[in-house]
Amino acid sequence: MKPFLYPEEPHSRGNPIQERRPLSDEIYEALVTELISLRIPPNARMSVDALARQFGVSQTPIRGALIRLETEGLVVKKHNAGYSAAPLPSGKHFEEAYLMRTLLEPEAASLAAANVKPEDIHALRALCDHMEQLVTEDTQGNYGRFAMLDGQFHARITEMCGNELLQHTLQGLYAHMHLFRLRYHSSVAEEAIKEHLAIVEAISRCDSGAARSAMANHIQASRDRMKPYYQHL
C-alpha cells in the first residue's frame, strides 16, 4: 500500500511547528485532527520519514506522537511495515463498546461523586468550557481537539472513581476517538456538552444516584446519535 501523502497545509516544510510545547505534543494534536477528519483515511500508511519532512522536524518527535497514537488505538504498527491509520471498527465493535460503557461508566460516575474534590470539579468545568469554545469556533482544526477533550473529560471521571481496574478497562475501549472518526458536527458536540454539564452538576452535589443517571443518559444519547453511522460497518 502506498503511503498517505500529507497535504502541505497547515504545516509545510517551510513553516515548521513552533516550539511552544514539546514537538511531539504539537504533532500528536495535528495528527489526531487528520485522523478524526479522515483526511488520513483508515489503513493509510503513515511514514515516519514523510511525516518528519512534512513537519520540518527530526524523526524523534514523530515517533513519540505515533507511539502515543498507537496506545490510543488510532494507529497500528506492524512488523516490517511501519505505522498505518487504524481501520474503522466494525458496527458490532461499536455496539459492544456502548454496552460496556453502559455497564461501567454510570458506576464510575457514581463513585466519582462519592470521592469528588474541589479541584476535580474545577478541572471538569474547565474541560466543558474549552469544548464550548471549540464548538463556537466550529473549524475543521477543532475536530481532533474536541475529541481529545471529550476523552479527557470521561477519563477524569474514571480516575476520580478510584477503581484502577475499571479505569484500565474503559481506557482500553478507545471509544471516544473512534466515535469522532464516524461523525463530527457542531450540533452533536453541543448536545454532548449539555449532557456533560448535567454530569458535572450531579457530581458537584456529591449525588451519586444523579451522577449515575446523568452518565447513563449521556451514553444512551451518544449511542442514539452515532448508531446510524456505525450500524452498517
Side-chain angles (χ1 to χ4, degrees), residues 100-173:
M100 287 289 289
R101 292 183 66 193
T102 299
L103 292 171
L104 299 178
E105 282 200 72
E107 186 60 28
S110 176
L111 292 170
N115 298 324
V116 66
K117 299 176 183 177
E119 56 265 32
D120 294 322
I121 296 301
H122 176 77
L124 291 173
R125 285 178 173 155
L127 286 167
C128 288
D129 288 345
H130 196 172
M131 282 187 273
E132 283 187 304
Q133 181 181 354
L134 293 177
V135 171
T136 300
E137 296 170 359
D138 194 22
T139 63
Q140 188 181 55
N142 288 343
Y143 289 7
R145 296 186 189 98
F146 190 97
M148 286 185 288
L149 291 172
D150 183 87
Q152 289 170 23
F153 178 87
H154 285 268
R156 181 73 184 224
I157 292 173
T158 306
E159 290 169 8
M160 290 163 57
C161 83
N163 186 313
E164 292 184 3
L165 182 58
L166 182 57
Q167 180 181 347
H168 179 75
T169 301
L170 286 169
Q171 285 177 341
L173 294 177

Side-chain angles (χ1 to χ4, degrees), residues 128 131-132 135 146 188-198:
C128 288
M131 282 187 273
E132 283 187 304
V135 171
F146 190 97
V188 172
E190 288 169 359
E191 292 169 4
I193 290 170
K194 291 177 183 177
E195 293 154 14
H196 287 170
L197 290 171

Side-chain angles (χ1 to χ4, degrees), residues 4-168:
F4 177 76
L5 297 178
Y6 301 91
E8 287 299 317
E9 295 180 352
H11 305 298
S12 67
R13 291 181 63 185
N15 183 30
I17 292 173
Q18 299 297 315
E19 293 191 62
R20 292 170 296 180
R21 293 184 295 155
L23 279 173
S24 61
D25 287 354
E26 296 269 359
I27 293 164
Y28 165 81
E29 290 190 10
L31 290 177
V32 166
T33 293
E34 297 293 295
L35 290 160
I36 293 295
S37 64
L38 300 183
R39 290 178 66 184
I40 300 178
N43 301 307
R45 184 183 170 196
M46 299 174 68
S47 164
V48 173
D49 184 59
L51 281 169
R53 291 196 304 271
Q54 171 66 30
F55 287 103
V57 299
S58 72
Q59 292 189 3
T60 300
I62 299 296
R63 292 186 187 280
L66 289 172
I67 289 170
R68 185 174 172 187
L69 289 165
E70 183 184 14
T71 65
E72 295 176 350
L74 281 176
V75 304
V76 294
K77 184 180 182 182
K78 295 181 180 179
H79 184 62
N80 293 329
Y83 291 95
S84 60
L88 275 175
S90 66
K92 182 175 182 289
H93 175 91
F94 279 111
E95 195 66 23
E96 290 175 349
Y98 269 118
L99 175 59
M100 287 289 289
R101 292 183 66 193
T102 299
L103 292 171
L104 299 178
E105 282 200 72
E107 186 60 28
S110 176
L111 292 170
N115 298 324
V116 66
K117 299 176 183 177
E119 56 265 32
D120 294 322
I121 296 301
H122 176 77
L124 291 173
R125 285 178 173 155
L127 286 167
C128 288
D129 288 345
H130 196 172
M131 282 187 273
E132 283 187 304
Q133 181 181 354
L134 293 177
V135 171
T136 300
E137 296 170 359
D138 194 22
T139 63
Q140 188 181 55
N142 288 343
Y143 289 7
R145 296 186 189 98
F146 190 97
M148 286 185 288
L149 291 172
D150 183 87
Q152 289 170 23
F153 178 87
H154 285 268
R156 181 73 184 224
I157 292 173
T158 306
E159 290 169 8
M160 290 163 57
C161 83
N163 186 313
E164 292 184 3
L165 182 58
L166 182 57
Q167 180 181 347
H168 179 75

